[in-house]
Amino acid sequence: MTVPGHDPDAARLRKTMAKSLTDDGVLADPAWREAVDTVPRHHFVPGFFLPAETLDASGLTVWEPVTAELDHSRWLTAAYSNTTLITQFDGDEPDWKNPVERHGGTPTSSSTLPSLVVRMWADADVQKGHTLLEIGTGSGYSTALACERLGSADVTSIEVDARRLDQAAGALHGCGYAPTLAVADGLYGYWPEAPFDRIVAACSFRAVPPALIAQTRPGGKILLTLSGWLHAYARVLLTVAEDCTAEGPLLGGTVSFMPARTHAPPAFGNPSHWAAELPDDTRPARHGPEWLTAATEEAFHLRFLAQSAIPDAQMTTVGRTVHLIDTVSGSAAALTPNGAGWTVREGGPTKLWERVEHLLDAYDEAGRPRPESFTVRVHADGQHLRHPRLPSLRLPRP
């Protein structure tokens, strides 16, 4: 690797970050520690946004631009923190020569926190000699770590955003790395370089893209994050078989990734319009929405299970009312607090909250199983989330 313009402060901060990650048990593999200790992350993040300490008058997060020119110390320190650095909102590429503050917005590109990047490579059992497809080049930092570990010739990285890839390519080549790079949609992998021993996605999908299974060697592994329109996530590690089926467990933790852009949820309009079409009949809810909305690891997991049961539904809260809205079937539900409990109104072909309640009943009766006890199986008849004590849940069509 070539380090352009060696910066002793950056080298010191990089060593400190590597030591901290090692002390935390993240960098158990000496080869990955050497990669983290070598790759200059600051060259891959010339500009990014950090949240201000207070919200604006509308309650939106204020995102402050950070560059070397604006505040060199803050920029360099953040670059070597174990933090995800947001580099783009709503698909709009910032002008880092004249950056402006942002209020709210949806992140669409970032440099993932280093501990998660290394954790992903470790969870996928990426080893020297493997050929790797990375989906979501982003800033290029994770790509550089892979190149440092495997050698550039065995690394392919694709990115759907041409402007993002152009910047990443410049940083990678400037540091002496030469992986195969391409502007491509991660849903379809990258056939010209297939087959791969490992595929790792730094974005999330509603279901496992079949092209990724077809592009993985038998015995190879795919690590990706499944997500959906309830904004719930679960990582899965699949092993591909000779017959192009794949199966593997969910992994623990509460990791989230930006969705593949074609898998992002659609706009659903005004919740009050949906609520106005619901029947007047109400019933007591057997379970309240706090099962899904609480700030706990279990609720994070339950939201993923609920999302698998009602894959086309979205959830939003207006005042004290929690709305479920399904733009595909036209179904909706509204939950309103009533004393110590909740009442629910439902309409459309699918009783959304009733379906969630059945799932919560089964989950409770099964002893509240943890994510690691679930498996995903991909085969000719579809994709299913399975647990020995729960009904099988079908994932959406890819």
Side-chain angles (χ1 to χ4, degrees):
M1 184 207 72
T2 302
V3 180
H6 178 70
D7 184 329
D9 289 334
R12 174 180 53 80
L13 289 169
R14 189 161 60 250
K15 288 185 179 295
T16 299
M17 182 177 75
K19 181 179 185 304
S20 176
L21 294 178
T22 301
D23 292 344
D24 290 342
V26 176
L27 285 174
D29 185 336
W32 285 117
R33 172 165 182 169
E34 183 178 352
V36 172
D37 203 21
T38 301
V39 175
R41 190 187 189 201
H42 66 289
H43 283 291
F44 295 89
V45 285
F48 48 85
F49 294 94
L50 293 178
E53 294 183 359
T54 58
L55 304 178
D56 69 9
S58 300
L60 298 174
T61 300
V62 178
W63 293 95
E64 300 173 340
V66 180
T67 66
E69 291 72 22
L70 291 172
D71 187 334
H72 186 274
S73 177
R74 186 187 188 195
W75 167 73
L76 197 60
T77 300
Y80 289 104
S81 64
N82 188 31
T83 304
T84 292
L85 303 174
I86 306 299
T87 54
Q88 186 192 78
F89 286 90
D90 302 315
D92 297 330
E93 189 66 19
D95 177 4
W96 289 115
K97 294 181 179 179
N98 298 287
V100 295
E101 188 176 84
R102 296 204 47 125
H103 291 240
T106 301
T108 48
S109 191
S110 66
S111 177
T112 304
L113 67 163
S115 63
L116 178 54
V117 172
V118 176
R119 177 181 166 190
M120 289 168 60
W121 296 146
D123 285 343
D125 190 28
V126 175
Q127 300 287 342
K128 186 77 172 176
H130 284 158
T131 53
L132 170 71
L133 171 64
E134 177 190 40
I135 298 173
T137 313
S139 70
Y141 174 67
S142 59
T143 317
L145 290 176
C147 290
E148 188 67 32
R149 177 74 171 86
L150 304 179
S152 296
D154 286 333
V155 177
T156 298
S157 186
I158 60 175
E159 169 62 50
V160 73
D161 188 322
R163 295 165 300 177
R164 292 277 85 209
L165 189 69
D166 184 61
Q167 180 175 304
L172 285 161
H173 295 156
C175 290
Y177 301 116
T180 298
L181 301 173
V183 176
D185 189 328
L187 286 172
Y188 306 101
Y190 199 60
W191 288 101
E193 296 297 315
F196 302 98
D197 296 301
R198 297 291 186 270
I199 295 180
V200 177
C203 62
S204 61
F205 302 97
R206 297 184 73 203
V208 182
L212 302 189
I213 296 174
Q215 292 174 31
T216 303
R217 287 191 177 93
K221 297 181 185 295
I222 302 170
L223 178 66
L224 54 77
T225 301
L226 295 172
S227 64
W229 295 350
L230 289 184
H231 299 289
Y233 306 83
R235 292 191 309 147
V236 61
L237 180 61
L238 298 167
T239 300
V240 176
E242 291 277 358
D243 60 358
C244 281
T245 61
E247 188 169 359
L250 297 186
L251 304 182
T254 54
V255 170
S256 61
F257 274 108
M258 299 167 195
R261 297 192 184 183
T262 50
H263 279 201
F268 53 74
N270 188 330
S272 65
H273 295 166
W274 290 84
E277 298 299 314
L278 294 175
D280 293 332
D281 296 339
T282 64
R283 66 170 177 83
R286 296 199 312 278
H287 299 290
E290 63 275 3
W291 277 73
L292 310 183
T293 59
T296 65
E297 188 169 332
E298 183 181 44
F300 188 91
H301 172 48
L302 275 174
R303 197 158 63 250
F304 178 76
L305 298 182
Q307 175 179 274
S308 301
I310 50 171
D312 298 322
Q314 298 179 64
M315 183 167 56
T316 188
T317 301
V318 180
R320 301 180 66 197
T321 300
V322 176
H323 298 265
L324 285 174
I325 298 169
D326 182 336
T327 59
V328 176
S329 72
S331 303
L335 291 102
T336 306
N338 182 24
W342 294 78
T343 59
V344 60
R345 291 189 298 141
E346 296 180 282
T350 301
K351 298 296 185 283
L352 297 174
W353 192 249
E354 182 177 303
R355 186 169 289 186
V356 172
E357 287 176 320
H358 287 316
L359 172 68
L360 294 175
D361 288 339
Y363 169 79
D364 209 21
E365 291 171 7
R368 302 190 173 194
R370 291 184 54 79
E372 299 90 335
S373 60
F374 289 80
T375 59
V376 172
R377 177 164 170 74
V378 183
H379 52 102
D381 294 331
Q383 303 187 17
H384 294 86
L385 178 65
R386 293 178 170 178
H387 189 277
R389 297 193 301 276
L390 288 171
S392 178
L393 295 170
R394 182 181 287 270
L395 298 181
R397 291 174 62 88

